[in-house]
Amino acid sequence: MAVSYNALAQSLHTRSSCFIPIRYTKQRSRSNVVFASNDNKNIALQAKVDNLLDSIKWDDKGLAVAIAQNVDTGAVLMQGFVNREALSTTISSRKATFFSRSRSTLWTKGETSNNFINIRDVYIDCDRDSIIYLGTPDGPTCHTGEETCYYTSVFDQLNNDEASGNKLALTTLYSLESIISKRKEESTVPQEGKPSWTRRLLTDDALLCSKIREEADELCRTLEDNEEVSRTPSEMADVLYHAMVLLSKRDVKMEDVFAVLRKRFSQSGIEEKQNRTK
């Protein structure tokens, strides 16, 4: 396995966190690693990589737990195990790679389904015995076709709530997006009685846009009128909710919004605005 670290070395930097970034690592066996060149930078990087991997607390089988997480949604996609070679392959290929304990071989998520997990960063925890792969999935992660491998609620099962069915483990923001999406599906079916507020917004573009403008103005007034600080998150919640209804109307996901934001991280705001398509 040939591993090139030339491109990786260009963006090497240090940050402080309980989970420590290790995006630039390779396996211990030097004979299996090929650097793009033998310049001093790559030689120094190789030494850092060897020292870093030596510091990881591999178990008695040379493995560590690796959790794949969606960098945009925060969803925990799956868990697997990695050894030095799997971690090295992940970083060089930028595809989430694990070690199969049953087959005693490496495997890359998506090698058969094409639903790869494209790695943006890799972290180890403060005890240096577990790893997080932060990435963007190309499709469903679970072999069942579910978005993640975590869709069974323990509390639902304990409460014998079979009617709830599969329920992905979602953060607050994505739980809201899921609720709005369900209301959107329901809005196509005739309903008796008074419709919900979300349904009204979904079926009345003028009302929806007027509410977004109204709530945005109220958010600004919390600053302009020096209102109590508690008013600011309250008004922001209103802005966010109504904006997410509009996104649903346009078939745009929050994940799409976050992807745009991520691309802007390394770009000047002024430059980005100037380069926008008119």
Side-chain angles (χ1 to χ4, degrees):
M1 177 185 65
V3 180
S4 172
Y5 292 91
N6 222 20
L8 302 182
Q10 296 176 3
S11 55
L12 181 62
H13 66 281
T14 302
R15 291 184 294 183
S16 175
S17 171
C18 185
F19 275 88
I20 308 165
I22 58 166
R23 69 188 74 164
Y24 313 112
T25 58
K26 66 175 185 60
Q27 65 183 47
R28 181 64 174 171
S29 176
R30 290 177 174 81
S31 61
N32 291 330
V33 176
V34 178
F35 286 89
S37 64
N38 291 321
D39 58 26
N40 292 334
K41 180 183 293 186
N42 280 322
I43 293 174
L45 178 58
Q46 178 172 1
K48 289 182 179 180
V49 165
D50 287 334
N51 290 335
L52 182 57
L53 278 187
D54 283 342
S55 73
I56 296 179
K57 295 179 181 177
W58 307 100
D59 66 14
D60 57 357
K61 296 181 180 179
L63 303 176
V65 172
I67 298 169
Q69 184 176 16
N70 189 315
V71 70
D72 289 322
T73 69
V76 177
L77 302 173
M78 62 169 290
Q79 175 194 296
F81 290 87
V82 296
N83 60 5
R84 289 174 177 268
E85 187 178 1
L87 186 55
S88 175
T89 301
T90 296
I91 295 165
S92 62
S93 68
R94 298 300 178 97
K95 305 291 183 185
T97 302
F98 302 88
F99 179 80
S100 171
R101 294 174 298 170
S102 61
R103 294 182 285 118
S104 297
T105 186
L106 300 189
W107 66 280
T108 298
K109 174 58 190 171
E111 60 188 13
T112 57
S113 65
N114 288 323
N115 293 329
F116 295 99
I117 300 176
N118 305 290
I119 299 302
R120 298 283 180 175
D121 209 338
V122 179
Y123 281 76
I124 55 175
D125 77 331
C126 54
D127 292 325
R128 310 186 81 85
D129 59 3
S130 66
I131 297 165
I132 286 183
Y133 288 165
L134 282 179
T136 54
D138 285 336
T141 297
C142 186
H143 72 281
T144 63
E146 292 287 350
E147 181 182 342
T148 84
C149 293
Y150 298 92
Y151 52 80
T152 304
S153 167
V154 170
F155 289 150
D156 283 350
Q157 291 206 337
L158 292 177
N159 293 328
N160 296 319
D161 188 3
E162 302 295 338
S164 64
N166 292 346
K167 183 173 64 178
L168 292 177
L170 299 174
T171 59
T172 300
L173 186 66
Y174 286 92
S175 293
L176 174 59
E177 183 178 61
S178 177
I179 292 172
I180 293 173
S181 179
K182 290 179 180 179
R183 297 293 182 269
K184 181 180 178 181
E185 294 176 4
E186 295 168 355
S187 67
T188 61
V189 180
Q191 180 189 39
E192 295 182 1
K194 187 177 181 180
S196 68
W197 178 244
T198 302
R199 184 181 179 119
R200 286 185 59 191
L201 293 172
L202 286 167
T203 56
D204 190 334
D205 292 354
L207 174 63
L208 174 58
C209 290
S210 68
K211 289 300 297 182
I212 293 176
R213 295 187 181 99
E214 175 188 329
E215 300 299 347
D217 180 66
E218 291 182 359
L219 174 63
C220 292
R221 288 184 181 280
T222 66
L223 174 63
E224 296 169 341
D225 298 342
N226 195 28
E227 297 180 1
E228 291 184 8
V229 174
S230 61
R231 292 286 301 150
T232 302
S234 176
E235 294 300 339
M236 183 60 210
D238 289 339
V239 172
L240 186 59
Y241 158 70
H242 287 89
M244 288 177 67
V245 175
L246 186 147
L247 291 179
S248 181
K249 283 276 294 183
R250 300 287 294 169
D251 294 322
V252 175
K253 294 184 176 295
M254 286 300 300
E255 196 170 344
D256 301 325
V257 177
F258 290 151
V260 173
L261 289 173
R262 185 174 1 99
K263 291 178 181 178
R264 296 178 181 176
F265 283 169
S266 59
Q267 187 178 23
S268 162
I270 296 175
E271 179 184 349
E272 186 279 326
K273 190 172 182 179
Q274 291 175 341
N275 292 336
R276 288 184 191 179
T277 303
K278 294 184 180 180

